[in-house]
Amino acid sequence: MKRFNPWSLLPAQFKNLLPAKLVMVIAEECLGIEKLSAGLSNTNYHLKMAHQDWVLRDNKDIQQWCDRDNEVTCWLRVESIGLAPKLIWQSDNKQFYLSEYVNQQPIDWASNYGEFGFNTPQRPSEDKNQKIDSNHTKLEPVDLLLNMLNQLSTLALPPKEISLTAQWLVYIESLTELSLLQSSSLLQTNLQKKSPQQNCQSQKKHSQSLQWHECFKQLTKLQSSMESWLADLESCLVKPQFCHRDLSPFNLLLHEDKLHCIDFEYCAASHPMFDLASVLATHQLTDKQANELSEQYLFKHPNLKPNSIQYLPQIYNCFWAFGAAWALMMAAEAEPFDKALVINTDIADAKNSYFILFNKYLSLIS
């Protein structure tokens, strides 16, 4: 019987950078490879091993917005309190991470994903987590989420620190630069002689560029409101804390009756309400559950003033405004005919996928 060759399905450079001992372990114990996901910033592989399964993450070169050293530092801090998979090995250039695979039971937490603004009327009327844990008791999402949020808030501050206001300015400045670059590129393209096929591609690129600039115009109309919302949120801040900043269900794993975090690319010392917002805005919680989680997390929070709960509408709006700005940045950087990334849509066009996300996120701002 022919022996399984894992290297035929893994990035070639990974084997070259891996220590000899781990090369031998994978060669001898790997029984199968499954690609878990492929996105803008990384690709993940599930290595099915004879004993403990592993995950390989292949990071793309996006140093302009992701500090890999900060990411690893935050991962290790969360791992130290038992809320992240064990990081087994990292390459010196931070391109590859090898970690333990977390087997989720009794449910895949990603099934809880939803999108909710502060005034969204479509929250579930019933608890979506009618499942039983290992102790034969019903899962309580509020308890699970609150425990995770509270434990994360106690960690030492990450090397990277950014306020909500500073993050918004980064988005606006980056988008302004992209706007100028797109206008310049479009002008050069229009001046070039083209074949009929090139003309067709140029027309599509021109249409998408106009769409991008229209979206950017919509986003800049929020500037006055954003300044007010950000001022309110900064006014209730006592001090920043450890923040994951992307606690959607896709970045949480349910294992041994508690939630574990993955993907620490956006971690920073920041506003304590942002992690709460990322949970509330992306989880299918009932109105009662969302209210309970907000009240319990914010009650006597050491890093917030007592009036912070009145600013929940503002933090929801900032969360989705940041999401819209991110989608617009990705639309500018995606290749016009790149079919590798399709986000919850049948449209095999990365730019259009991001435009759809932009409009969806913008609609959730109240």
Side-chain angles (χ1 to χ4, degrees), residues 299-334:
F299 181 68
K300 293 186 177 180
H301 195 296
N303 300 325
L304 293 166
K305 294 178 181 176
N307 66 340
S308 60
I309 197 166
Q310 74 185 62
Y311 298 124
L312 280 173
Q314 288 89 329
I315 195 63
Y316 268 94
N317 287 343
C318 287
F319 176 82
W320 288 119
F322 287 3
W326 170 85
L328 202 52
M329 285 182 65
M330 297 302 101
E333 295 174 358

Short mmCIF file of all heavy atoms in Angstrom, two decimals, residues 299-334:
data_model
loop_
_atom_site.label_atom_id
_atom_site.label_comp_id
_atom_site.label_asym_id
_atom_site.label_seq_id
_atom_site.Cartn_x
_atom_site.Cartn_y
_atom_site.Cartn_z
N PHE A 299 -21.10 46.11 33.97
CA PHE A 299 -21.35 46.45 35.37
C PHE A 299 -20.04 46.53 36.15
O PHE A 299 -19.29 45.56 36.25
CB PHE A 299 -22.28 45.40 36.01
CG PHE A 299 -22.61 45.68 37.45
CD1 PHE A 299 -23.39 46.76 37.81
CD2 PHE A 299 -22.12 44.85 38.46
CE1 PHE A 299 -23.70 47.02 39.14
CE2 PHE A 299 -22.42 45.09 39.79
CZ PHE A 299 -23.21 46.18 40.12
N LYS A 300 -19.78 47.69 36.68
CA LYS A 300 -18.56 47.95 37.47
C LYS A 300 -17.29 47.52 36.73
O LYS A 300 -16.33 47.01 37.33
CB LYS A 300 -18.64 47.24 38.83
CG LYS A 300 -19.71 47.82 39.75
CD LYS A 300 -19.66 47.20 41.13
CE LYS A 300 -20.70 47.84 42.05
NZ LYS A 300 -20.68 47.25 43.42
N HIS A 301 -17.28 47.72 35.41
CA HIS A 301 -16.08 47.38 34.63
C HIS A 301 -14.95 48.31 35.06
O HIS A 301 -15.10 49.54 35.04
CB HIS A 301 -16.35 47.54 33.14
CG HIS A 301 -15.33 46.89 32.27
ND1 HIS A 301 -14.01 47.29 32.23
CD2 HIS A 301 -15.42 45.85 31.40
CE1 HIS A 301 -13.34 46.54 31.38
NE2 HIS A 301 -14.16 45.65 30.87
N PRO A 302 -13.81 47.76 35.45
CA PRO A 302 -12.72 48.60 36.00
C PRO A 302 -12.11 49.58 35.01
O PRO A 302 -11.49 50.56 35.42
CB PRO A 302 -11.69 47.57 36.46
CG PRO A 302 -11.96 46.35 35.63
CD PRO A 302 -13.44 46.34 35.43
N ASN A 303 -12.28 49.32 33.71
CA ASN A 303 -11.66 50.17 32.70
C ASN A 303 -12.63 51.13 32.02
O ASN A 303 -12.28 51.79 31.03
CB ASN A 303 -10.97 49.30 31.65
CG ASN A 303 -9.90 48.41 32.25
OD1 ASN A 303 -9.21 48.81 33.20
ND2 ASN A 303 -9.77 47.20 31.74
N LEU A 304 -13.87 51.16 32.57
CA LEU A 304 -14.90 52.03 32.00
C LEU A 304 -15.62 52.81 33.09
O LEU A 304 -15.71 52.34 34.23
CB LEU A 304 -15.93 51.20 31.22
CG LEU A 304 -15.44 50.51 29.94
CD1 LEU A 304 -16.46 49.46 29.50
CD2 LEU A 304 -15.20 51.53 28.84
N LYS A 305 -16.16 53.95 32.73
CA LYS A 305 -16.94 54.74 33.67
C LYS A 305 -18.34 54.12 33.80
O LYS A 305 -18.80 53.39 32.91
CB LYS A 305 -17.02 56.19 33.21
CG LYS A 305 -15.66 56.89 33.23
CD LYS A 305 -15.76 58.33 32.72
CE LYS A 305 -14.39 58.99 32.71
NZ LYS A 305 -14.42 60.35 32.15
N PRO A 306 -19.05 54.42 34.90
CA PRO A 306 -20.36 53.80 35.16
C PRO A 306 -21.42 54.05 34.08
O PRO A 306 -22.36 53.28 33.94
CB PRO A 306 -20.79 54.41 36.49
CG PRO A 306 -19.51 54.80 37.15
CD PRO A 306 -18.60 55.24 36.06
N ASN A 307 -21.26 55.12 33.30
CA ASN A 307 -22.28 55.46 32.30
C ASN A 307 -22.04 54.82 30.94
O ASN A 307 -22.70 55.14 29.96
CB ASN A 307 -22.35 56.98 32.12
CG ASN A 307 -21.06 57.56 31.52
OD1 ASN A 307 -20.01 56.92 31.58
ND2 ASN A 307 -21.15 58.75 30.96
N SER A 308 -21.09 53.89 30.85
CA SER A 308 -20.69 53.35 29.54
C SER A 308 -21.83 52.64 28.82
O SER A 308 -21.87 52.65 27.58
CB SER A 308 -19.52 52.39 29.71
OG SER A 308 -19.86 51.31 30.57
N ILE A 309 -22.77 52.06 29.56
CA ILE A 309 -23.84 51.29 28.90
C ILE A 309 -24.72 52.16 28.00
O ILE A 309 -25.31 51.67 27.04
CB ILE A 309 -24.70 50.53 29.95
CG1 ILE A 309 -25.51 49.43 29.25
CG2 ILE A 309 -25.59 51.50 30.73
CD1 ILE A 309 -26.12 48.43 30.20
N GLN A 310 -24.76 53.47 28.27
CA GLN A 310 -25.59 54.33 27.44
C GLN A 310 -24.98 54.55 26.05
O GLN A 310 -25.64 55.07 25.15
CB GLN A 310 -25.81 55.68 28.13
CG GLN A 310 -24.60 56.60 28.12
CD GLN A 310 -24.84 57.88 28.92
OE1 GLN A 310 -25.06 57.85 30.13
NE2 GLN A 310 -24.83 59.01 28.23
N TYR A 311 -23.73 54.11 25.87
CA TYR A 311 -23.06 54.31 24.59
C TYR A 311 -23.02 53.04 23.73
O TYR A 311 -22.22 52.95 22.80
CB TYR A 311 -21.65 54.84 24.82
CG TYR A 311 -21.62 56.18 25.52
CD1 TYR A 311 -20.92 56.36 26.71
CD2 TYR A 311 -22.34 57.27 25.02
CE1 TYR A 311 -20.92 57.58 27.37
CE2 TYR A 311 -22.35 58.50 25.66
CZ TYR A 311 -21.64 58.64 26.84
OH TYR A 311 -21.64 59.85 27.49
N LEU A 312 -23.89 52.09 24.02
CA LEU A 312 -23.97 50.89 23.18
C LEU A 312 -24.32 51.22 21.72
O LEU A 312 -23.73 50.63 20.81
CB LEU A 312 -24.98 49.90 23.76
CG LEU A 312 -24.48 49.04 24.93
CD1 LEU A 312 -25.63 48.23 25.51
CD2 LEU A 312 -23.36 48.10 24.48
N PRO A 313 -25.27 52.13 21.45
CA PRO A 313 -25.54 52.44 20.03
C PRO A 313 -24.30 52.96 19.31
O PRO A 313 -24.06 52.60 18.15
CB PRO A 313 -26.63 53.53 20.11
CG PRO A 313 -27.27 53.33 21.45
CD PRO A 313 -26.18 52.86 22.35
N GLN A 314 -23.50 53.77 20.00
CA GLN A 314 -22.31 54.34 19.38
C GLN A 314 -21.27 53.26 19.04
O GLN A 314 -20.67 53.29 17.97
CB GLN A 314 -21.68 55.38 20.31
CG GLN A 314 -22.46 56.69 20.41
CD GLN A 314 -23.52 56.69 21.49
OE1 GLN A 314 -24.09 55.65 21.79
NE2 GLN A 314 -23.80 57.84 22.07
N ILE A 315 -21.08 52.28 19.95
CA ILE A 315 -20.06 51.27 19.68
C ILE A 315 -20.51 50.30 18.59
O ILE A 315 -19.70 49.84 17.77
CB ILE A 315 -19.64 50.51 20.97
CG1 ILE A 315 -18.33 49.74 20.74
CG2 ILE A 315 -20.73 49.59 21.45
CD1 ILE A 315 -17.14 50.60 20.45
N TYR A 316 -21.81 49.99 18.52
CA TYR A 316 -22.34 49.20 17.40
C TYR A 316 -22.03 49.93 16.09
O TYR A 316 -21.55 49.34 15.12
CB TYR A 316 -23.86 49.05 17.52
CG TYR A 316 -24.37 47.84 18.23
CD1 TYR A 316 -24.69 47.87 19.59
CD2 TYR A 316 -24.64 46.66 17.54
CE1 TYR A 316 -25.23 46.77 20.24
CE2 TYR A 316 -25.18 45.55 18.18
CZ TYR A 316 -25.48 45.61 19.53
OH TYR A 316 -26.01 44.51 20.17
N ASN A 317 -22.35 51.24 16.04
CA ASN A 317 -22.17 52.00 14.81
C ASN A 317 -20.70 52.08 14.40
O ASN A 317 -20.36 51.95 13.22
CB ASN A 317 -22.74 53.41 14.98
CG ASN A 317 -24.25 53.43 14.99
OD1 ASN A 317 -24.89 52.46 14.57
ND2 ASN A 317 -24.84 54.50 15.48
N CYS A 318 -19.82 52.27 15.38
CA CYS A 318 -18.39 52.32 15.07
C CYS A 318 -17.89 50.96 14.57
O CYS A 318 -17.09 50.90 13.62
CB CYS A 318 -17.60 52.76 16.30
SG CYS A 318 -17.78 54.51 16.70
N PHE A 319 -18.39 49.89 15.17
CA PHE A 319 -17.98 48.55 14.73
C PHE A 319 -18.32 48.34 13.26
O PHE A 319 -17.47 47.87 12.48
CB PHE A 319 -18.67 47.48 15.58
CG PHE A 319 -18.37 46.07 15.14
CD1 PHE A 319 -17.20 45.45 15.53
CD2 PHE A 319 -19.25 45.38 14.31
CE1 PHE A 319 -16.90 44.16 15.10
CE2 PHE A 319 -18.96 44.09 13.88
CZ PHE A 319 -17.78 43.48 14.28
N TRP A 320 -19.53 48.70 12.86
CA TRP A 320 -19.93 48.47 11.47
C TRP A 320 -19.31 49.49 10.52
O TRP A 320 -19.05 49.17 9.35
CB TRP A 320 -21.45 48.44 11.33
CG TRP A 320 -22.04 47.19 11.91
CD1 TRP A 320 -22.94 47.09 12.94
CD2 TRP A 320 -21.75 45.84 11.51
NE1 TRP A 320 -23.22 45.77 13.21
CE2 TRP A 320 -22.51 44.98 12.35
CE3 TRP A 320 -20.93 45.28 10.55
CZ2 TRP A 320 -22.46 43.60 12.23
CZ3 TRP A 320 -20.88 43.89 10.43
CH2 TRP A 320 -21.64 43.07 11.27
N ALA A 321 -19.03 50.70 11.00
CA ALA A 321 -18.32 51.68 10.17
C ALA A 321 -16.90 51.20 9.89
O ALA A 321 -16.40 51.31 8.76
CB ALA A 321 -18.29 53.04 10.86
N PHE A 322 -16.24 50.62 10.91
CA PHE A 322 -14.92 50.05 10.71
C PHE A 322 -15.00 48.89 9.71
O PHE A 322 -14.13 48.74 8.85
CB PHE A 322 -14.34 49.53 12.03
CG PHE A 322 -13.89 50.60 12.99
CD1 PHE A 322 -14.06 51.95 12.70
CD2 PHE A 322 -13.31 50.27 14.19
CE1 PHE A 322 -13.65 52.94 13.60
CE2 PHE A 322 -12.88 51.23 15.09
CZ PHE A 322 -13.05 52.57 14.79
N GLY A 323 -16.04 48.07 9.84
CA GLY A 323 -16.22 46.95 8.91
C GLY A 323 -16.40 47.43 7.48
O GLY A 323 -15.84 46.85 6.54
N ALA A 324 -17.19 48.49 7.29
CA ALA A 324 -17.41 49.04 5.95
C ALA A 324 -16.10 49.60 5.38
O ALA A 324 -15.79 49.40 4.19
CB ALA A 324 -18.48 50.13 6.01
N ALA A 325 -15.33 50.28 6.22
CA ALA A 325 -14.05 50.83 5.77
C ALA A 325 -13.09 49.70 5.37
O ALA A 325 -12.40 49.78 4.35
CB ALA A 325 -13.43 51.68 6.88
N TRP A 326 -13.06 48.63 6.19
CA TRP A 326 -12.22 47.47 5.87
C TRP A 326 -12.62 46.87 4.53
O TRP A 326 -11.76 46.55 3.69
CB TRP A 326 -12.35 46.42 6.97
CG TRP A 326 -11.71 45.11 6.64
CD1 TRP A 326 -10.41 44.75 6.80
CD2 TRP A 326 -12.36 43.97 6.05
NE1 TRP A 326 -10.20 43.47 6.37
CE2 TRP A 326 -11.38 42.97 5.90
CE3 TRP A 326 -13.68 43.72 5.65
CZ2 TRP A 326 -11.68 41.72 5.36
CZ3 TRP A 326 -13.97 42.47 5.11
CH2 TRP A 326 -12.98 41.48 4.97
N ALA A 327 -13.93 46.68 4.30
CA ALA A 327 -14.41 46.09 3.05
C ALA A 327 -14.00 46.94 1.85
O ALA A 327 -13.63 46.42 0.79
CB ALA A 327 -15.93 45.92 3.10
N LEU A 328 -14.04 48.26 2.02
CA LEU A 328 -13.67 49.16 0.93
C LEU A 328 -12.16 49.09 0.66
O LEU A 328 -11.73 49.15 -0.50
CB LEU A 328 -14.09 50.58 1.28
CG LEU A 328 -14.28 51.56 0.11
CD1 LEU A 328 -15.20 50.97 -0.94
CD2 LEU A 328 -14.82 52.89 0.61
N MET A 329 -11.36 48.95 1.71
CA MET A 329 -9.92 48.77 1.51
C MET A 329 -9.64 47.48 0.75
O MET A 329 -8.82 47.44 -0.17
CB MET A 329 -9.21 48.75 2.86
CG MET A 329 -9.07 50.10 3.52
SD MET A 329 -8.16 50.02 5.08
CE MET A 329 -6.54 49.49 4.50
N MET A 330 -10.34 46.41 1.11
CA MET A 330 -10.14 45.13 0.44
C MET A 330 -10.61 45.19 -1.02
O MET A 330 -9.99 44.58 -1.90
CB MET A 330 -10.89 44.02 1.17
CG MET A 330 -10.42 43.77 2.60
SD MET A 330 -8.65 43.35 2.74
CE MET A 330 -7.99 44.95 3.27
N ALA A 331 -11.67 45.93 -1.28
CA ALA A 331 -12.16 46.07 -2.66
C ALA A 331 -11.13 46.78 -3.53
O ALA A 331 -10.95 46.45 -4.70
CB ALA A 331 -13.47 46.85 -2.68
N ALA A 332 -10.41 47.74 -2.94
CA ALA A 332 -9.39 48.47 -3.69
C ALA A 332 -8.17 47.61 -3.97
O ALA A 332 -7.52 47.74 -5.01
CB ALA A 332 -8.97 49.72 -2.92
N GLU A 333 -7.86 46.70 -3.04
CA GLU A 333 -6.64 45.90 -3.16
C GLU A 333 -6.86 44.57 -3.87
O GLU A 333 -5.89 43.93 -4.28
CB GLU A 333 -6.06 45.66 -1.77
CG GLU A 333 -5.60 46.95 -1.10
CD GLU A 333 -5.14 46.75 0.33
OE1 GLU A 333 -5.21 45.60 0.81
OE2 GLU A 333 -4.72 47.74 0.96
N ALA A 334 -8.12 44.14 -4.02
CA ALA A 334 -8.39 42.86 -4.68
C ALA A 334 -8.19 42.99 -6.18
O ALA A 334 -8.41 44.04 -6.78
CB ALA A 334 -9.83 42.42 -4.38
#
